[in-house]
Each structure stands twice: as C-alpha cells, then as structure tokens.
Amino acid sequence: IRRWLQYNSKVYYYYLVFLAVFFIYLFILFSETILPKQYHYEGWQINFVSRPVGLLIYIFYNEFVIKFLSLPETNPSLNRVIRWYSRFLILCFFNQIVLQYIFIDRIEVLNELHSIFSLGIFFVVIYFLYRLWKMRTTLTSYVLKGSLALTIGTFITNILNTLMMSGKLKYGEYYFYPVLIGIGLEIYFFNSGLFYKTRSAERELINTQKLLIDEMQENEKLLVDRQN
C-alpha cells in the first residue's frame, strides 16, 4: 500500500485488488472456522459464493499481469489474447450465477460442470505460462513462479472440494491447504517482482537524471568556451 501511494502506479492498484478478492475467497472457504456456529452454511451454499468470486480472482490477476509486464508494449499479441480471455471470464462469472440458480436442486450437475470448467481454466493458464516463459525476462520469471504455485494449489483445492461434495472423499479442512500454500508462494514471488521492478525503475530514473546533468554540464562548458 505504501508503494502504491508513493508511486501511484496502476500495477499496485490491480495487485491490491487481486489480493483483496483472493482473501475474500479464502474467508468464504474458512467461514466455518472463522464465524460462530450460527453463521455456518452448507457446503453447496459456500460454493455458490466462492465459485463466482474465484472467477474474479482470475480477472484481476490478468489485469495485474498486463500492467506488471507492460504487455501492450512488450508483447502485444499476448496482451490481446489475455484481454479476450478476461472478457470470456466476465461472461463466465455471470453464467456461473445463472447456472447455480438453474441447477439449484441438482448440485451434482453443478459440481461436474465446475470440475470440467476448472480443468479447462487450468490448461488455459498453463498455455499463458508457456507464452510468458518464452519471453524469458526477469519480470516474467517472478510471474511464472508465483502463478504456477497458485494455479497448482487452486486446482488441487478445487478437485478435493468437488470430491468431498460428491461424497467420494471424506470431508475435512485439509482441502484448502494446497491453495493456502499456493497463495503464500504467489505473494512472496509477486512482492519480490514488484520490488525488483520498482528498484529497476528507480535506478533507470537516477541514471537518466545523471545523463541529463552531465549533458547540461557539457553544454554549459561548451557555451563558456565559445564565449571565451
């Protein structure tokens, strides 16, 4: 937050929104542990809220990556693909809400659809990570490490949650441990990347100012020599 206020950069804004939405997602998953018993809900009711919020995580994540890597300038083709992908996720967000009310009495159908969708999202993210890997820059390495940790953690958590909802796996709070580990690693790598990006920008600014000062001094010297 301090760096966002200091540099007033959109990359920090999207990162903070991304983290806020993700922690709301975790709060929903942890609601039975955090909230008093009278506020507990059934597993399917928690999924009705957590699944749309989960889509918002991907949407703000995409915006953060675009700003963090300056994709419109560094990789316009990938930027266009991610933009279309974000629009698709926005449609999926509203579609998820509609489907939940259509199949409100058929939870098993919703679980199956969510499993298929989660698998599709997983492979799409892997494709984006591959495209980022091909860029081979220092900044993309931070995104790759954090995103891979988060993607794997979220995917495993979704699979475990689906298996528990279908009765194929014994219910337990262990299902959200993978996503906790993933978000922890993701925050570490993204924070490291933001720190590196900020320090690099500061060094570049200092070097630019130094060159300008040297140029001004050289011009002043030439002017004095001409006058003499």
Side-chain angles (χ1 to χ4, degrees):
I1 295 176
R2 179 182 63 82
R3 289 188 176 275
W4 174 42
L5 295 174
Q6 180 180 356
Y7 296 101
N8 193 26
S9 174
K10 286 186 178 180
V11 66
Y12 288 101
Y13 164 76
Y14 283 112
Y15 182 59
L16 289 175
V17 174
F18 164 73
L19 286 181
V21 175
F22 204 102
F23 282 119
I24 291 173
Y25 176 78
L26 291 179
F27 177 80
I28 296 169
L29 294 182
F30 286 149
S31 58
E32 291 189 356
T33 303
I34 299 173
L35 299 176
K37 191 172 182 179
Q38 60 266 31
Y39 296 107
H40 288 186
Y41 295 92
E42 297 292 334
W44 66 270
Q45 293 174 316
I46 294 175
N47 285 336
F48 263 45
V49 181
S50 65
R51 287 173 178 176
V53 172
L55 289 173
L56 292 178
I57 294 174
Y58 286 107
I59 293 170
F60 286 110
Y61 163 82
N62 290 344
E63 292 299 323
F64 164 72
V65 170
I66 288 172
K67 300 298 181 184
F68 179 68
L69 299 177
S70 304
L71 288 182
E73 295 80 26
T74 59
N75 198 328
S77 63
L78 181 58
N79 176 64
R80 287 192 295 270
V81 173
I82 293 180
R83 289 293 187 190
W84 280 106
Y85 175 55
S86 293
R87 295 187 184 103
F88 170 73
L89 288 177
I90 292 172
L91 290 175
C92 289
F93 171 80
F94 292 105
N95 185 60
Q96 175 72 30
I97 296 174
V98 172
L99 286 176
Q100 288 180 164
Y101 282 99
I102 292 176
F103 295 103
I104 192 170
D105 295 325
R106 301 184 63 185
I107 303 301
E108 68 282 355
V109 175
L110 283 176
N111 290 336
E112 292 294 333
L113 290 174
H114 183 69
S115 298
I116 295 172
F117 181 77
S118 297
L119 187 62
I121 290 291
F122 176 77
F123 286 116
V124 170
V125 172
I126 293 299
Y127 166 74
F128 285 144
L129 294 181
Y130 169 72
R131 290 287 302 271
L132 292 176
W133 174 76
K134 289 180 67 177
M135 292 176 66
R136 299 179 186 277
T137 66
T138 303
L139 288 179
T140 56
S141 68
Y142 287 109
V143 175
L144 283 171
K145 294 172 184 176
S147 299
L148 194 58
L150 179 60
T151 299
I152 294 174
T154 303
F155 179 74
I156 294 175
T157 290
N158 285 334
I159 294 299
L160 292 176
N161 184 40
T162 300
L163 291 174
M164 285 189 295
M165 290 296 298
S166 62
K168 297 178 181 179
L169 197 64
K170 185 178 179 181
Y171 181 80
E173 295 183 350
Y174 60 85
Y175 79 95
F176 52 71
Y177 292 161
V179 76
L180 283 181
I181 296 173
I183 189 62
L185 292 173
E186 182 269 346
I187 290 175
Y188 169 76
F189 287 120
F190 279 13
N191 282 343
S192 300
L194 285 169
F195 179 76
Y196 173 83
K197 184 181 178 72
T198 302
R199 289 296 299 271
S200 297
E202 290 174 348
R203 292 193 193 100
E204 185 176 348
L205 178 62
I206 292 172
N207 292 334
T208 301
Q209 290 175 340
K210 186 177 179 181
L211 288 174
L212 288 174
I213 292 172
D214 293 341
E215 185 177 347
M216 290 175 61
Q217 291 176 343
E218 185 67 24
N219 291 336
E220 290 177 359
K221 183 179 179 182
L222 290 173
L223 183 61
V224 171
D225 292 340
R226 287 178 181 177
Q227 291 177 347
N228 293 334

